[in-house]
Amino acid sequence: MNFDYNEEQQLLADSVRRFLQKDYDFEARRKILASPEGWSARVWSQLAQMGLTGLPFSPDYGGFGGGAVDLMGVMEAFGEALVVEPYLATLMGAHLVARAGSAEQKRAILPAVVEGRMKLAFAHTERKQGEKLGVVGAPIADKLVVSSGSRLFLADRADLKMKPYRTMDNMVAADLSFSRDRAEPMPGADQAVAETVDFATALVCAEAVGAMKFACDTTLEYLKTRKQFGVPIGTFQALQHRMVDMVISYEQARSMACLACARVDSAANAAERSRAVSAAKIKIADSARHIGQEAVQLHGGMGMSEELKLSHSFRRLTVAAQQFGDADHHLARFASL
Amino acid sequence: MDLNYSAEEVAFRDEVRAWLAGNLPRDLKEKVDRYEHLSKEDLLRWHRILAGKGWVAPAWPKEWGGTGWNVVQRYIFEEELGYVGAPPLIPFGLAMCAPVLLRFGTEAQKKRFLPRIYQGEDFWCQGYSEPGSGSDLASLKTRAVRENGRYIVNGQKTWTTLAHYADWIFCLVRTDPTSEKRQEGISFLLVDMKTPGVSVRPLILMDGAHEVNEVFFDDVGVPAENLVHEEGKGWTVAKYLLGYERMNTGRIGESKRQLARLKEFSSGKLNDVRFRDRLSRVEVELTALEITNLRFLDRMRRSGQPPGADVSMLKIKGTEIQQALAELMMQAAGEAGSDEFAAALGRRYLSMRKTTIYAGSNEIQRNIIAKQTLGL
Ligand SMILES: Cc1cc2nc3c(=O)[nH]c(=O)nc-3n(C[C@H](O)[C@H](O)[C@H](O)COP(=O)(O)OP(=O)(O)OC[C@H]3O[C@@H](n4cnc5c(N)ncnc54)[C@H](O)[C@@H]3O)c2cc1C
């Protein structure tokens, strides 16, 4: 047993964290959000240079053949810094291409993704047939993987009619309409979607854990420095216990994120994998809500301020709790498996 | 024991309900229903409609426009306002500054300010909190120095709701920094927002809304006649206001309305037992709070005493219920993509986090109950 990252994983996580601290502080992020595009091409190419866009893909396409555990530290760092670039969306698209694409599709797409030349998105949830909802990264993706019935298709962004918007946590997203006419079918599908969605769910768990860590750290710091009644508010026992519960919530969530990532990489079968991912997502949704709400509350008025990074972490945690199915959804799935 | 309203009270409720239904402008109601931002004009329009009917300040003495209703009638009225989905009546003038003036103001102050508050001619805001003084309000630093018949005010207020709409601000200021008990150096001052040296900077909240502000005072000259009560008695004034009979602290009517709406637009989700259970639990909490509120009201009616720390309990439960409903609404909207109504529900969830922080945080309310009711 060993719950530490191995040396490579730790080095990567550290260098990503250093990069984000230097080039992606709250001010830098604010500027990116204020731009009409809502993402930074410069940041994207740096992520690619660090090897992040190639991490989970086969060396045949220039990647590093990593798994969810290898990505976990990266996602935690992204969650702490609230990265808005469509990293997960791109990984999902490419993950599907790697599993369900033709040899030709893989050759056309995977190296481009690895090298940071192409961004993808996955359009899955639908309102009714052909109308996809809430596709994160769609307005800036070069290509989209679109599910239709039990099949998968590849489409150029330019061929899709989109209604772009920003999500509650400031990601670029779109609703879009899709018809099979102008799209390329992908040969495989079957298990690919379930695998990719579990993979992405495990990564969202890790990302949420990073956002929880920030929320806990910054609240602890606030309790030690904010003074009322002549003393730091952290001296009030009523608040100490609340802070302790937040930290317990965080540790429990991180444990479940570890479990989900490990099972995504090496579960004996699909049921075992999905059960672990659902269990993790239930815990993460509960902790995200608990930690987010408490962090805001313990900051008093400051917690409500859009000028404080915490309020953005709160939004991210609120969305993460619902992303790829909320706690209710995963409770039902967990109980059925 | 009889949990029901008397026949007269029911008749009163029906009269209020019918009048509100007939007089709440449809466009305002629709805006409220869509959880849209309400402009100053929207707020004042509804204020003036109620003023026209003579119902905008039921609790005031009759000579100043009050209705003479008893506490139960006032409670019924306020809950009906929430239940019909009317724009909120902004409390700073009607329910904060006015009661203070009625209790402590001079005749001249009452004559000058009360009619304008009643008619919605002056918009008021509340200048209590400062960057260093929130829960610990008595530590406030904004300084007022008396010279030649005026106070010169310097300092900063923060979180000031709707200061950008306001004509006037009532402030707690420090007039005597040397007094041994820090509460004794505080005074209650009325400041015209147009006075040179007053400036307002927006503070954007996490839902993106501009609702609160920072207010800066830079050598602001305030005529001494704008002092309320005596110099150094500001804390007495503030405490009076805290204990002032506020019937609708629990926001029962408003929450009942949100619950009904939630059931309406989450009908698809009601097959989901998990969602339905959570919704039912909130409904039970709300029912319990309504009865608790009525019990307190009954006690108040019979004892003639102000509600005291009971209000804290209503604040705690009322805000928790409001937040739970807002959260269920957001969850009911589910994956709704670019849908504007779903986005509004999401913003509302974010915004409602404020309710357990402002007007005395729920932690401070618990401290009050622990100290005042339980003697801990
Ligand atoms: C949307 C909004 C609107 C507002 N509008 C106005 C307005 O119009 N006018 C105005 O004057 N103010 C207004 N306020 C300010 C509000 O009254 C304060 O935010 C509130 O009093 C809390 O103070 P604080 O923000 O300084 O938090 P702090 O007092 O710093 O509190 C931080 C945390 O510590 C807790 N805490 C503090 N002391 C104790 C204790 N002794 N025991 C246990 N826990 C404790 C608090 O509950 C909170 O969780 C508004 C605030 C908000 C968010």
Side-chain angles (χ1 to χ4, degrees):
Chain A
M1 200 177 307
N2 178 2
F3 281 97
D4 291 342
Y5 291 135
N6 67 28
E7 198 180 330
E8 263 171 64
Q9 290 161 346
Q10 192 60 54
L11 279 173
L12 182 67
D14 290 345
S15 69
V16 171
R17 197 163 271 129
R18 266 198 309 278
F19 163 69
L20 294 173
Q21 273 161 7
K22 190 163 71 60
D23 285 23
Y24 210 90
D25 65 9
F26 187 53
E27 256 326 287
R29 177 181 182 272
R30 183 185 287 284
K31 289 208 182 88
I32 294 172
L33 289 182
S35 72
E37 302 79 25
W39 71 291
S40 158
R42 197 182 65 82
V43 168
W44 190 260
S45 73
Q46 273 163 311
L47 299 182
Q49 268 168 35
M50 296 171 80
L52 301 188
T53 47
L55 200 60
F57 305 114
S58 157
D60 298 346
Y61 306 103
F64 300 94
V69 173
D70 296 303
L71 279 159
M72 201 182 150
V74 175
M75 294 311 292
E76 285 181 282
F78 277 26
E80 264 187 82
L82 301 175
V83 171
V84 293
E85 278 63 26
Y87 182 63
L88 187 63
T90 297
L91 288 195
M92 278 182 96
H95 201 262
L96 284 164
V97 170
R99 272 155 193 73
S102 66
E104 199 181 326
Q105 287 166 339
K106 290 181 200 174
R107 270 199 308 279
I109 290 173
L110 294 177
V113 167
V114 171
E115 289 159 28
R117 290 184 282 112
M118 189 182 275
K119 294 182 303 310
L120 304 176
F122 177 37
H124 190 43
T125 308
E126 46 190 11
R127 182 184 286 127
K128 57 182 201 272
Q129 206 183 354
E131 279 186 34
K132 298 291 185 181
L133 278 183
V135 186
V136 174
I140 54 177
D142 302 286
K143 284 183 181 292
L144 287 94
V145 178
V146 187
S147 64
S148 176
S150 61
R151 306 206 48 197
L152 289 172
F153 293 82
L154 261 174
D156 279 339
R157 178 188 45 180
D159 290 333
L160 296 167
K161 227 177 73 204
M162 288 199 192
K163 185 181 171 207
Y165 70 99
R166 299 261 179 114
T167 59
M168 182 198 271
D169 58 342
N170 276 314
M171 305 285 279
V172 287
D175 294 346
L176 53 90
S177 44
F178 168 77
S179 88
R180 293 182 178 193
D181 315 344
R182 312 203 52 166
E184 253 183 69
M186 286 164 62
D190 238 18
Q191 291 307 308
V193 170
E195 270 174 44
T196 297
V197 172
D198 275 351
F199 168 76
T201 306
L203 294 187
V204 163
C205 288
E207 189 186 350
V209 164
M212 289 177 211
K213 177 164 171 19
F214 173 79
C216 284
D217 288 351
T218 198
T219 303
L220 180 58
E221 183 61 30
Y222 200 71
L223 291 184
K224 288 178 178 171
T225 49
R226 169 70 173 172
K227 283 195 177 155
Q228 289 290 276
F229 305 99
V231 292
I233 57 175
T235 56
F236 303 129
Q237 210 163 50
L239 301 191
Q240 289 174 356
H241 288 193
R242 305 264 291 270
M243 186 71 233
V244 169
D245 286 339
M246 287 167 68
V247 170
I248 294 173
S249 215
Y250 161 75
E251 292 296 346
Q252 291 282 83
R254 185 158 195 280
S255 298
M256 292 308 272
C258 290
L259 177 75
C261 289
R263 292 289 182 267
V264 159
D265 286 348
S266 56
N269 54 52
E272 189 194 12
R273 180 195 71 217
S274 295
R275 213 173 132 78
V277 167
S278 278
K281 191 65 212 300
I282 293 162
K283 184 66 224 169
I284 264 73
D286 288 352
S287 295
R289 171 177 181 273
H290 171 218
I291 291 171
Q293 293 182 352
E294 289 287 77
V296 168
Q297 181 68 25
L298 297 192
H299 272 77
M302 286 309 285
M304 291 300 298
S305 167
E306 119 102 11
E307 288 174 27
L308 214 69
K309 181 176 163 189
L310 175 66
S311 69
H312 297 258
S313 305
F314 180 75
R315 296 204 263 188
R316 178 74 200 110
L317 285 169
T318 301
V319 173
Q322 294 179 298
Q323 214 171 348
F324 303 119
D326 58 12
D328 287 355
H329 170 89
H330 284 281
L331 274 164
R333 189 170 87 143
F334 182 79
S336 75
L337 282 169
Chain B
M1 199 181 298
D2 180 2
L3 272 60
N4 299 311
Y5 285 132
S6 68
E8 298 83 62
E9 285 160 350
V10 171
F12 174 79
R13 186 197 63 198
D14 292 346
E15 181 201 335
V16 167
R17 193 173 282 185
W19 187 86
L20 291 176
N23 288 276
L24 173 58
R26 174 182 285 264
D27 59 315
L28 277 185
K29 182 174 156 63
E30 284 172 357
K31 245 178 154 174
V32 172
D33 279 353
R34 287 192 300 264
Y35 303 105
E36 269 178 37
H37 166 78
L38 297 173
S39 67
K40 179 176 179 179
E41 201 28 62
D42 292 333
L43 297 171
L44 284 178
R45 205 172 129 208
W46 179 235
H47 179 116
R48 288 177 187 142
I49 290 172
L50 285 172
K53 170 72 176 168
W55 281 1
V56 84
W60 294 13
K62 265 190 149 167
E63 49 171 321
W64 294 104
T67 52
W69 294 337
N70 65 28
V71 288
V72 176
Q73 287 174 310
R74 267 151 51 201
Y75 170 79
I76 290 174
F77 176 70
E78 295 198 6
E79 295 308 345
E80 287 301 316
L81 276 183
Y83 192 62
V84 73
L89 281 177
I90 302 303
F92 306 118
L94 288 171
M96 297 178 122
C97 188
V100 160
L101 292 179
L102 285 162
R103 173 76 177 76
F104 300 104
T106 60
E107 267 321 288
Q109 286 172 335
K110 290 186 208 174
K111 285 213 177 86
R112 179 172 174 203
F113 292 112
L114 291 178
R116 296 183 61 82
I117 292 176
Y118 194 95
Q119 297 302 336
E121 285 161 9
D122 288 336
F123 203 110
W124 282 80
C125 65
Q126 178 193 22
Y128 280 16
S129 308
E130 298 180 5
S133 309
S135 299
D136 180 19
L137 195 54
S139 68
L140 62 92
K141 292 202 177 67
T142 295
R143 194 70 175 90
V145 180
R146 188 165 182 152
E147 50 184 56
N148 308 326
R150 342 184 279 168
Y151 287 97
I152 305 298
V153 181
N154 278 288
Q156 184 197 340
K157 295 294 175 181
T158 193
W159 309 118
T160 322
T161 300
L162 302 185
H164 54 306
Y165 291 175
D167 305 297
W168 285 84
I169 181 169
F170 58 89
C171 292
L172 289 177
V173 293
R174 189 160 300 281
T175 36
D176 181 3
T178 60
S179 63
E180 207 153 287
K181 275 198 72 186
R182 47 187 201 155
Q183 281 85 346
E184 283 165 9
I186 294 173
S187 301
F188 195 98
L189 208 54
L190 312 178
V191 183
D192 184 339
M193 294 290 283
K194 286 184 293 295
T195 322
V198 177
S199 55
V200 175
R201 189 184 87 92
L203 274 175
I204 304 304
L205 294 183
M206 88 166 117
D207 60 342
H210 177 196
E211 170 181 320
V212 301
N213 305 271
E214 295 177 303
V215 181
F216 299 90
F217 299 86
D218 184 13
D219 282 334
V220 176
V222 179
E225 68 200 41
N226 289 6
L227 174 74
V228 178
H229 202 19
E230 293 160 34
E231 190 175 295
K233 289 281 166 61
W235 196 252
T236 314
V237 175
K239 271 185 44 185
Y240 166 75
L241 201 49
L242 285 180
Y244 180 72
E245 302 173 8
R246 256 162 301 167
M247 298 307 132
N248 69 333
T249 300
R251 305 266 161 134
I252 310 289
E254 163 73 11
S255 286
K256 276 185 172 170
R257 171 173 180 76
Q258 299 307 334
L259 179 72
R261 297 211 68 210
L262 171 62
K263 285 182 177 171
E264 232 171 77
F265 61 70
S266 69
S267 54
K269 265 219 132 196
L270 292 179
N271 303 324
D272 178 342
V273 288
R274 291 178 184 83
F275 185 83
R276 204 177 56 206
D277 283 359
R278 267 183 289 134
L279 190 150
S280 301
R281 283 189 185 282
V282 178
E283 183 164 359
V284 171
E285 280 293 316
L286 179 56
T287 307
L289 185 63
E290 181 175 21
I291 304 294
T292 303
N293 208 335
L294 291 173
R295 281 172 53 213
F296 289 170
L297 209 60
D298 184 43
R299 186 154 73 205
M300 214 164 95
R301 167 165 59 177
R302 281 189 279 171
S303 71
Q305 294 292 310
D310 290 348
V311 170
S312 294
M313 202 183 295
L314 301 178
K315 157 80 176 22
I316 292 170
K317 289 316 289 184
T319 51
E320 285 175 1
I321 290 168
Q322 290 170 60
Q323 290 183 338
L325 286 168
E327 190 166 4
L328 286 170
M329 285 183 172
M330 172 185 70
Q331 287 166 350
E335 290 209 76
S338 66
D339 183 65
E340 196 27 61
F341 185 61
L345 293 178
R347 286 193 296 272
R348 188 160 179 280
Y349 167 70
L350 300 176
S351 171
M352 293 304 275
R353 302 316 303 171
K354 70 190 171 195
T355 62
T356 46
I357 296 168
Y358 66 22
S361 76
N362 284 20
E363 288 75 26
I364 294 302
Q365 303 294 348
R366 286 185 169 90
N367 286 350
I368 291 172
I369 297 174
K371 213 166 143 184
Q372 291 186 14
T373 311
L374 307 179
L376 289 169

